[in-house]
Amino acid sequence: MRAEIYNHLEEIKQSIGLLRRHLDVDKAERRLAELNQLAESPDLWNDPAKASQVMRERTTLDAQLGAIKRFERDVDDAVTLIELGEAEEDESTVKEGENAVLGLAKEAARLQVETLLSGEADANDTYVEINSGAGGTESQDWAQMLLRMVTRWAERHKYKVELNDRNDGEEAGIKSATITVKGHNAYGWLKTESGVHRLVRISPYDSNARRHTSFASIWVYPVVDDRIEVDIKESDCRIDTYRSSGAGGQHVNTTDSAVRITHIPTGIVVACQSERSQHKNRATAWNMLRARIYEAELKKREEKANAAAASKTDIGWGHQIRSYVLQPYQLVKDLRTGVTSGTPSDVLDGDLDGFMEAALAQRIHGGGAVVEDID
């Protein structure tokens, strides 16, 4: 076995050992057995709040234990493949086993970071709100590119994406949009994308083919589940109804089904127009508002909560977390961690894991942000 592959295997085994200790596998298996018993009880759903908590904990533990067992099995399979290929002097079989090891090494590193997603709401589904900055069509087109980027990332990870609200630009792109991303640790991963994103490119909307700089923001806040109580006085809110915009068939623009809620004390505004029923849109908007207020409170309690303050600043120079340069050269650089990519097309197609893992590790372990800019 080549030394490089042997070293990767040792790193993978160390990662698995750390994961097992972090999770306390024996204790987790006993707890999962208890939760499975509770889940089979016909009386469980007499208390919906408790049932929801049980099912969530069960899903989380089952996923964590399953990932560790799968890794151990896949490592054994890869080693067996390499040994079989070496015994039979079959280079293609050896290569197949080595490629499996390289893939497992990357996944082990990612899983190790994911186990550190232990924040109060990290495991929750999440809302992602995207807003264009100043600059009209240019920034609105950029906002739509970011919406696609986040959606593609979610689809790559088998998360479910639902569109809650979309406000189209006059010529192209979007002024704003809000989506819900549903899946385990959706908020934990996507919270690293909160902030201002900067694009530098030759504008397709400029007849003189000049280079333009555009800004748009991504704002991420967790879906509030039944375990979390958020008290909002209806008297503190202004509720407006209006006609939906965008694609949607004959029903669109015929009734005031879209709902916008403004929380007057904080100035937080949420909107939903995804359903034909005003009642359903109102319920979703209330959930979004609860989530926004909870997220704001959550940030206050976090020791190193500077992301929210940065996200709420002007969408423009000096506030960006990441720059995407398409011309005259190609480079994506995260200004917090220094992580770069020379293939912006891949990043814009949802290849965000490297950026997310570095930002998450920085949030967990501390360390100053990288403030160097690129032109």
Side-chain angles (χ1 to χ4, degrees):
M1 184 181 296
R2 291 193 298 121
E4 179 192 358
I5 298 301
Y6 178 82
N7 290 336
H8 278 305
L9 281 170
E10 289 302 304
E11 290 171 2
I12 292 170
K13 289 175 182 177
Q14 287 177 14
S15 293
I16 291 174
L18 288 171
L19 293 171
R20 292 183 68 90
R21 288 194 293 275
H22 178 81
L23 186 58
D24 193 346
V25 168
D26 292 339
K27 182 179 178 182
E29 287 178 338
R30 289 195 298 271
R31 177 58 179 163
L32 182 59
E34 293 173 3
L35 293 169
N36 285 335
Q37 275 192 321
L38 285 171
E40 292 170 2
S41 169
D43 298 327
L44 176 65
W45 290 97
N46 291 341
D47 185 345
K50 180 183 177 182
S52 177
Q53 185 174 353
V54 166
M55 298 308 289
R56 179 180 290 274
E57 185 182 355
R58 179 194 184 201
T59 299
T60 299
L61 275 180
D62 190 49
Q64 291 173 333
L65 286 168
I68 291 173
K69 290 176 182 177
R70 176 176 59 81
F71 253 91
E72 292 173 331
R73 184 178 65 249
D74 289 348
V75 170
D76 287 342
D77 290 346
V79 170
T80 300
L81 203 59
I82 293 172
E83 291 174 345
L84 181 64
E86 289 175 341
E88 298 181 355
E89 297 184 352
D90 183 347
E91 185 60 32
S92 64
T93 300
V94 172
K95 191 68 176 174
E96 184 181 349
E98 289 181 343
N99 287 338
V101 169
L102 295 174
L104 287 167
K106 291 182 180 178
E107 188 62 21
R110 172 186 164 81
L111 189 61
Q112 192 170 325
V113 173
E114 187 163 305
T115 61
L116 299 175
L117 291 173
S118 55
E120 187 173 322
D122 282 350
N124 290 27
D125 301 336
T126 191
Y127 297 111
V128 181
E129 181 181 313
I130 297 171
N131 291 283
S132 61
T137 303
E138 274 295 324
S139 63
Q140 290 165 15
D141 188 49
W142 174 223
Q144 182 163 319
M145 291 167 67
L146 289 177
L147 175 62
R148 179 185 180 277
M149 180 183 78
V150 172
T151 301
R152 290 288 294 121
W153 176 86
E155 290 170 350
R156 284 178 176 220
H157 293 277
K158 311 300 182 186
Y159 289 146
K160 184 178 180 182
V161 179
E162 296 176 356
L163 179 66
N164 301 114
D165 187 58
R166 178 184 173 118
N167 186 7
D168 289 326
E170 285 86 359
E171 296 180 37
I174 58 171
K175 294 178 180 177
S176 63
T178 304
I179 59 174
T180 305
V181 180
K182 296 184 174 181
H184 180 61
N185 283 336
Y187 174 66
W189 284 111
L190 281 167
K191 68 183 181 184
T192 62
E193 293 299 292
S194 272
V196 177
H197 296 246
R198 170 192 176 207
L199 174 69
V200 179
R201 66 171 175 175
I202 302 297
S203 170
Y205 304 100
D206 187 335
S207 58
N208 295 316
R210 289 173 294 190
R211 192 165 63 141
H212 284 246
T213 299
S214 307
F215 297 93
S217 69
I218 296 178
W219 175 243
V220 182
Y221 47 104
V223 173
V224 178
D225 58 31
D226 294 335
R227 298 172 300 131
I228 301 165
E229 293 185 9
V230 180
D231 184 29
I232 304 173
K233 295 179 181 178
E234 193 161 347
S235 59
D236 286 341
C237 300
R238 185 176 71 247
I239 302 174
D240 301 307
T241 57
Y242 58 99
R243 292 183 179 180
S244 298
S245 61
Q250 289 183 328
H251 177 80
V252 170
N253 292 328
T254 60
T255 62
D256 292 340
S257 61
V259 175
R260 181 188 301 110
I261 302 177
T262 304
H263 187 246
I264 297 169
T266 61
I268 291 174
V269 180
V270 297
C272 182
Q273 56 174 309
S274 60
E275 301 288 344
R276 294 191 173 193
S277 160
Q278 183 187 119
H279 176 74
K280 289 181 179 179
N281 284 332
R282 183 185 292 255
T284 299
W286 274 113
N287 286 336
M288 291 167 67
L289 180 60
R290 289 175 65 232
R292 282 287 298 270
I293 291 174
Y294 167 69
E295 195 268 351
E297 187 61 34
L298 193 65
K299 290 297 183 188
K300 290 179 185 177
R301 299 204 302 263
E302 290 180 354
E303 290 182 357
K304 297 173 182 176
N306 54 11
S311 299
K312 292 177 182 175
T313 55
D314 293 337
I315 305 176
W317 289 98
H319 304 296
Q320 63 265 23
I321 63 167
R322 192 178 301 144
S323 287
Y324 307 71
V325 180
L326 304 187
Q327 282 103 9
Y329 54 90
Q330 296 206 329
L331 181 71
V332 179
K333 181 169 184 178
D334 196 290
L335 306 178
R336 302 162 297 178
T337 63
V339 171
T340 63
S341 169
T343 54
S345 59
D346 290 345
V347 176
L348 292 172
D349 198 39
D351 186 9
L352 297 171
D353 287 359
F355 294 103
M356 289 180 168
E357 289 167 14
L360 184 61
Q362 185 183 72
R363 289 174 71 128
I364 292 168
H365 299 302
V370 176
V371 294
E372 176 187 354
D373 202 355
I374 54 178
D375 187 27

